[in-house]
Amino acid sequence: MNYLINNGNIEFSCAQYHGSLSFSISSVVIGKSGLAYEDAGLIFLRSPYYTAAINRFGMFLDQGGAKNSFGYLFPVSLLDKANEQEYSSMKEWQQDMMYIGYRKLLDFCNDSNRLYKNGNVIEDLDEINIGEDVFLFVFDKKIEKDETKIIPAIYDKGFYVVNDPFGNAELYRSLYMKRIIMDDQQHKDLTLKEATESFANFGYVKDLFVNFLPYIENSAFRYILLYQIIEYLIDMKKNETWFNSMNTFSAKHSNELIHKLMDAGKEEKLINLVFDGVQRGDSIYQEFIEYAKKLYDEVKKEQENGTDFPAYMYGVRNILVHNLKEAIEFGDIIKELAERYEKIICSLIMNVTIDECVGKGVFIYDMNMKYEENVKVFSKLFNE
Amino acid sequence: MEVLSKPINDGRIEAFNVMTQMTLKEYFELVKDSMDKNDLQRAKVPSSKNIYSLLKEDLVMGCVIPPIVLSIFSAFDADMDDEKQVEKYILENKQKLIILDGLQRTFTIQEIYNAYINDAESKVLNNKIRVEIYLGLNREGVLYRMLTLNTGQTRMSLRHQIEMIYQDLLISKEAGLRFIKDTEKDNKKKCDVFYFNESVDAFTSYLNSDYLQLTREKILVSIETFSDLTKLKNNRDAFIDLLTVYSQFLIMADQCIGDREEDIKLWAEEQGIKPIFGTNAINIFNKSQSMTGFGAAVAKLLEFKTYTEILDISKMFEGIDKQDFYEGTTTILSFLDWIRNHSSKIGNSQRCYFYYFFRKFLDKDNKETYKKVGVAALEAKKSYERDF
């Protein structure tokens, strides 16, 4: 598509037709953001929490402590004529970012045959029928090429990534998130944190945040879905812990090694390892424990395996999987738990560390080799 | 030019229609003056990659295209049915021509004209086209016909259609009002100086009893039952009346709060409100939001027979309590700020609020809110919250 700004209108044309949309960004602002159209990426978001047209954010990306200016997030309703006054008061770089987003949106509409309606080229964004809760996130692809890495962080800020901005399915509204956002209304910048690299390759993370969580109302089901992240991390940690056990093993009897490996592979221990190094000072962990205790009381269960967060998290999972028929009556408590849990999981994805030895420990171990031989092979591989 | 038919009376818009046939050369020379002087004319669609480039080739080959529709804004005598007389009338009034349907085709013809006019041997400019002309059409009739005809390949925006029809108001100083285009940045809005596009917004809101700016879908739906045509036919020029009354409202508002700008700023600071919407009578009320609300409210009050004509409203602006107006204005501003933080279409929500405000403030049958800005502002808030 080709574009031309003329008297506050965007004129667009492609092989089949030509049209123009009324739009008040003046041509002077083009290029003021320093972001080239080709380098810009566009992600469609929807949010059940942000409704006003003035909710727009400068976006930053935290890359190992360095905060980089990354993009701009604004509601599609800001492009509406009714908000003319609002966008004319915006800074030039912001208007430029909006113009880029607008063109990308039109490209998308063109690709999905939405610019031509009832025999006429549309002339007004209203005619496309795009929902008012849709946000356009324009970002610099040079800074982050892999969109999957930032999806959990976007979710954590109260925005859901959607593949089709024209979908109008009801979105899940978390009361806990809403409270956080209400307290934080004055915020004008958002900083996203990337997920660790290995997560970027884990398709379930994207599915969870894009296709499941935004649309599922049932809290018990949400909790179980979120717990799948823990299941995945447990697998990672199992490899890691076996590797470490073998590498540091110094006793003569191989039976002892087997016992040690079996012990290290216990689910409760692995969960603790998953949360190792993840800051748990936030009051949200304590709140989770309080609600978990309430649930334990209601279903008449006792906590036997510790009093810290991982123990309660595992315990709640066990109640939902094994005692759902008793727990289902306490939907309010489960909702409070699940809403905190999703914040915790987001933070876990952004902070968890997995050692590079993934898979190595299990792969090398050979019961027929002498201990010394094992260590030698092991050590050689480990140090490479 | 050849007049092919006797004038037929169009009962809907009370004008006469004749069918003519002329060469491309005759046609372009007939319309070119009105094209040149019309600075509101829609931009030409670039022809490299669209259907109009095909049209150009067709026209050169002598293809017969659907009739172009023109209109002439000048009184036409119904008895003038002789073809020669009609032709004379058209040529004499060619300065008052407007292209109702076929603007892009005319641009294409212009290209052909420029390409072949110096080519004495070519016969392309002798190719004939049919042109339908409305004679003696008034502004309202033009509006109606434009809306019903203009549904082609490149449609004219609604505001553009109306701006074209009312373009002479831009230059004339009728009724002491002045209208400026928003590109003329040196000119500031005053009590009697309005942005033209905002005035047009106010007028369309009046026509449709709707505070929202018109969308094309809305107009297409309502077009078949264009009940406003009777309203349009009103002898008085409703546009000028509406803006005259609004100008009187602004003068009254300026008298009430003209010297309180600092007070408003101070008040806003105390309330933690950014006075983005405005701090004086002109920048609070001489705005599209307030004007469309006013237009729609006036239409509603006329419908309810609270007033018999628009100009009657101006009498109520006498004897407004200054302090009440000031306090009412702060109530309005605080609610407008609330809307800004909560609405996804800020302008439309503010329009809705102003609509209720003016309905209550101007409604002489409602003694609770009539002439009382403070009470009207609060009541409007309640109605707004019920609606949104």
Side-chain angles (χ1 to χ4, degrees):
Chain A
M1 296 252 290
N2 296 315
Y3 299 94
L4 180 77
I5 292 192
N6 191 356
N7 279 336
N9 286 328
I10 292 185
E11 293 186 352
F12 56 88
S13 59
C14 57
Q16 307 85 19
Y17 52 77
H18 176 100
S20 96
L21 288 153
S22 187
F23 193 56
S24 291
I25 288 182
S26 56
S27 52
V28 223
V29 301
I30 293 173
K32 285 284 161 109
S33 68
L35 177 63
Y37 183 73
E38 310 75 55
D39 295 331
L42 176 70
I43 303 182
F44 295 112
L45 310 176
R46 285 177 67 199
S47 174
Y49 314 112
Y50 294 92
T51 48
I54 61 159
N55 284 321
R56 45 176 203 262
F57 306 90
M59 301 295 277
F60 291 85
L61 187 64
D62 179 351
Q63 288 175 308
K67 202 172 146 186
N68 294 316
S69 176
F70 180 42
Y72 193 56
L73 174 65
F74 62 94
V76 76
S77 65
L78 194 54
L79 299 167
D80 195 280
K81 268 228 129 357
N83 297 317
E84 209 165 351
Q85 199 186 343
E86 194 58 37
Y87 62 61
S88 58
S89 72
M90 287 163 57
K91 295 186 177 104
E92 288 183 335
W93 71 267
Q94 295 172 328
Q95 293 189 339
D96 186 29
M97 286 294 227
M98 275 180 58
Y99 177 56
I100 293 172
Y102 196 73
R103 285 161 65 194
K104 295 253 170 208
L105 171 67
L106 290 181
D107 283 348
F108 178 87
C109 294
N110 185 33
D111 294 343
S112 53
N113 293 322
R114 282 186 167 94
L115 287 187
Y116 207 74
K117 196 176 160 189
N118 302 334
N120 286 307
V121 180
I122 62 122
E123 286 181 8
D124 197 319
L125 204 59
D126 269 1
E127 293 179 62
I128 313 181
N129 285 331
I130 192 159
E132 280 174 28
D133 62 349
V134 173
F135 282 73
L136 303 183
F137 177 27
V138 182
F139 66 98
D140 190 343
K141 282 194 287 194
K142 292 204 297 304
I143 293 179
E144 180 56 87
K145 289 187 182 66
D146 184 1
E147 294 168 20
T148 355
K149 279 190 184 182
I150 49 169
I151 290 176
I154 291 174
Y155 185 92
D156 194 41
K157 298 288 180 194
F159 297 92
Y160 301 154
V161 173
V162 292
N163 294 324
D164 180 8
F166 294 95
N168 52 5
E170 192 84 0
L171 297 174
Y172 179 74
R173 293 169 75 89
S174 155
L175 295 174
Y176 186 77
M177 269 303 280
K178 197 166 176 221
R179 277 200 294 278
I180 294 176
I181 285 159
M182 298 281 268
D183 291 346
D184 212 14
Q185 275 290 328
Q186 299 308 315
H187 232 49
K188 278 292 155 226
D189 288 335
L190 295 177
T191 304
L192 303 178
K193 204 167 180 238
E194 291 171 295
T196 52
E197 199 177 340
S198 40
F199 261 105
N201 303 322
F202 176 33
Y204 179 71
V205 173
K206 189 181 175 191
D207 267 350
L208 182 69
F209 290 109
V210 178
N211 299 327
F212 296 137
L213 290 179
Y215 308 105
I216 289 167
E217 191 66 32
N218 186 299
S219 302
F221 193 25
R222 290 177 73 82
Y223 192 96
I224 292 166
L225 281 169
L226 287 159
Y227 190 81
Q228 301 311 306
I229 297 285
I230 302 290
E231 296 277 12
Y232 170 77
L233 284 173
I234 284 174
D235 270 356
M236 295 287 116
K237 287 290 170 188
K238 193 190 265 176
N239 290 338
E240 193 182 306
T241 186
W242 278 9
F243 175 81
N244 289 336
S245 303
M246 290 178 63
N247 197 36
T248 54
F249 186 63
S250 56
K252 302 272 181 202
H253 306 292
S254 56
N255 271 350
E256 221 170 299
L257 174 63
I258 291 167
H259 285 303
K260 195 169 181 183
L261 288 179
M262 281 171 68
D263 187 47
K266 279 186 181 160
E267 210 151 75
E268 292 90 333
K269 290 212 166 180
L270 291 170
I271 292 173
N272 271 314
L273 278 177
V274 166
F275 282 92
D276 232 20
V278 176
Q279 293 285 330
R280 273 182 273 153
D282 202 313
S283 61
I284 194 169
Y285 291 92
Q286 201 47 48
E287 288 166 22
F288 182 94
I289 292 173
E290 294 306 319
Y291 279 108
K293 281 179 182 166
K294 275 191 198 171
L295 185 67
Y296 271 77
D297 286 349
E298 297 290 2
V299 298
K300 300 185 178 50
K301 287 255 168 204
E302 292 210 356
Q303 173 62 298
E304 289 157 356
N305 305 319
T307 53
D308 58 354
F309 169 75
Y312 276 105
M313 181 199 75
Y314 186 56
V316 171
R317 172 255 184 208
N318 285 342
I319 291 174
L320 293 179
V321 172
H322 303 296
N323 306 81
L324 189 61
K325 61 181 186 300
E326 287 99 25
I328 205 83
E329 287 176 41
F330 310 102
D332 291 350
I333 301 176
I334 298 173
K335 188 176 168 77
E336 297 287 355
L337 282 166
E339 288 186 352
R340 279 161 184 79
Y341 191 44
E342 70 174 30
K343 292 290 287 178
I344 290 169
I345 290 290
C346 278
S347 145
L348 177 68
I349 290 172
M350 289 180 268
N351 293 299
V352 70
T353 49
I354 299 163
D355 277 2
E356 282 301 310
C357 59
V358 178
K360 272 187 186 172
V362 186
F363 184 73
I364 296 301
Y365 179 61
D366 184 348
M367 290 291 283
N368 298 321
M369 276 163 73
K370 284 184 184 166
Y371 165 68
E372 290 78 9
E373 287 170 333
N374 255 321
V375 170
K376 268 185 201 162
V377 179
F378 220 77
S379 154
K380 194 167 169 252
L381 272 166
F382 184 67
N383 292 319
E384 265 174 5
Chain B
M1 185 198 319
E2 204 180 327
V3 177
L4 300 178
S5 73
K6 290 207 180 293
I8 308 167
N9 186 23
D10 182 329
R12 181 80 196 231
I13 53 174
E14 307 230 326
F16 290 87
N17 177 295
V18 287
M19 177 59 91
T20 66
Q21 181 171 299
M22 55 187 92
T23 63
L24 292 179
K25 183 167 180 283
E26 280 173 332
Y27 172 72
F28 186 70
E29 283 168 0
L30 180 71
V31 298
K32 75 174 177 191
D33 289 346
S34 57
M35 280 175 78
D36 287 348
K37 68 171 190 195
N38 185 356
D39 61 349
L40 281 167
Q41 195 85 337
R42 193 165 34 141
K44 186 186 166 193
V45 172
S47 63
S48 57
K49 270 188 179 176
N50 62 45
I51 198 137
Y52 297 116
S53 57
L54 195 64
L55 176 69
K56 189 174 163 187
E57 288 166 26
D58 283 355
L59 275 169
V60 169
M61 285 173 71
C63 170
V64 179
I65 56 166
I68 289 173
V69 186
L70 307 179
S71 80
I72 292 178
F73 270 151
S74 180
F76 177 75
D77 183 357
D79 298 332
M80 212 158 39
D81 66 350
D82 178 69
E83 282 145 27
K84 284 289 159 211
Q85 275 181 307
V86 171
E87 189 178 331
K88 190 168 162 248
Y89 166 86
I90 294 170
L91 293 173
E92 276 172 3
N93 290 294
K94 69 177 184 179
Q95 300 296 332
K96 294 171 183 167
L97 268 175
I98 273 195
I99 301 168
L100 289 186
D101 184 33
L103 184 66
Q104 296 302 330
R105 274 172 281 169
T106 306
F107 278 128
T108 309
I109 292 170
Q110 181 180 26
E111 276 180 35
I112 299 171
Y113 181 87
N114 292 337
Y116 290 95
I117 189 66
N118 295 322
D119 184 351
E121 284 175 22
S122 164
K123 287 182 179 158
V124 170
L125 290 177
N126 292 334
N127 288 347
K128 288 194 170 170
I129 55 164
R130 293 222 164 139
V131 180
E132 210 181 303
I133 307 176
Y134 281 94
L135 312 171
L137 205 59
N138 58 11
R139 281 196 194 123
E140 291 77 17
V142 171
L143 170 61
Y144 183 72
R145 268 293 161 251
M146 274 186 143
L147 295 175
T148 48
L149 287 171
N150 192 247
T151 50
Q153 175 77 13
T154 309
R155 295 171 301 170
M156 192 179 280
S157 78
L158 186 71
R159 179 182 293 186
H160 209 125
Q161 293 170 356
I162 298 170
E163 281 184 357
M164 266 187 77
I165 296 160
Y166 287 91
Q167 59 171 308
D168 54 340
L169 295 174
L170 263 173
I171 4 176
S172 77
K173 289 185 178 173
E174 216 169 325
L177 302 176
R178 211 170 136 236
F179 300 95
I180 48 176
K181 288 192 279 180
D182 50 359
T183 44
E184 298 170 45
K185 288 192 176 146
D186 297 340
N187 289 301
K188 284 202 173 118
K189 293 197 262 193
K190 293 181 188 150
C191 292
D192 54 355
V193 179
F194 299 96
Y195 278 168
F196 188 55
N197 61 343
E198 292 178 355
S199 314
V200 168
D201 271 351
F203 186 58
T204 49
S205 285
Y206 164 77
L207 289 181
N208 294 284
S209 311
D210 185 352
Y211 51 82
L212 294 178
Q213 286 164 303
L214 280 176
T215 62
R216 183 167 309 279
E217 282 188 25
K218 255 195 227 169
I219 201 74
L220 285 178
V221 168
S222 62
I223 216 155
E224 288 188 3
T225 52
F226 206 88
S227 61
D228 300 313
L229 207 59
T230 44
K231 214 189 275 179
L232 283 169
K233 278 186 202 154
N234 206 325
N235 286 335
R236 286 194 167 277
D237 196 334
F239 180 87
I240 288 294
D241 286 358
L242 189 77
L243 272 298
T244 303
V245 173
Y246 198 71
S247 167
Q248 284 160 351
F249 168 76
L250 289 178
I251 292 168
M252 182 272 291
D254 194 45
Q255 282 165 357
C256 291
I257 57 167
D259 52 355
R260 313 272 317 245
E261 193 161 353
E262 287 308 313
D263 291 345
I264 293 177
K265 282 182 187 162
L266 212 65
W267 165 86
E269 207 180 306
E270 279 168 11
Q271 300 288 315
I273 289 173
K274 284 186 190 165
I276 290 174
F277 200 81
T279 50
N280 61 43
I282 304 298
N283 58 27
I284 296 170
F285 294 109
N286 196 340
K287 257 198 187 123
S288 171
Q289 284 93 317
S290 165
M291 289 165 75
T292 46
F294 178 79
V298 168
K300 209 70 186 171
L301 292 170
L302 288 180
E303 196 184 313
F304 290 158
K305 306 233 179 328
T306 310
Y307 295 95
T308 41
E309 54 181 285
I310 304 174
L311 289 176
D312 291 350
I313 297 171
S314 55
K315 289 176 200 142
M316 73 149 288
F317 299 140
E318 289 161 17
I320 300 281
D321 182 343
K322 280 188 173 188
Q323 182 58 23
D324 177 49
F325 198 101
Y326 169 75
E327 280 163 18
T329 307
T330 56
T331 309
I332 292 173
L333 287 176
S334 66
F335 195 58
L336 291 175
D337 188 67
W338 182 89
I339 287 174
R340 186 173 167 265
N341 284 297
H342 290 86
S343 169
S344 64
K345 293 192 176 179
I346 303 167
N348 290 355
S349 305
Q350 290 173 339
R351 281 183 178 87
C352 174
Y353 176 69
F354 274 113
Y355 165 70
Y356 285 117
F357 167 71
F358 281 114
R359 260 190 67 178
K360 308 223 177 244
F361 176 60
L362 303 176
D363 186 358
K364 63 183 178 193
D365 297 337
N366 187 345
K367 298 285 176 243
E368 296 283 303
T369 57
Y370 180 58
K371 289 175 95 165
K372 292 172 189 148
V373 184
V375 187
L378 284 173
E379 287 294 314
K381 185 179 167 193
K382 284 183 199 161
S383 302
Y384 169 87
E385 282 167 342
R386 253 203 317 273
D387 248 31
F388 260 69

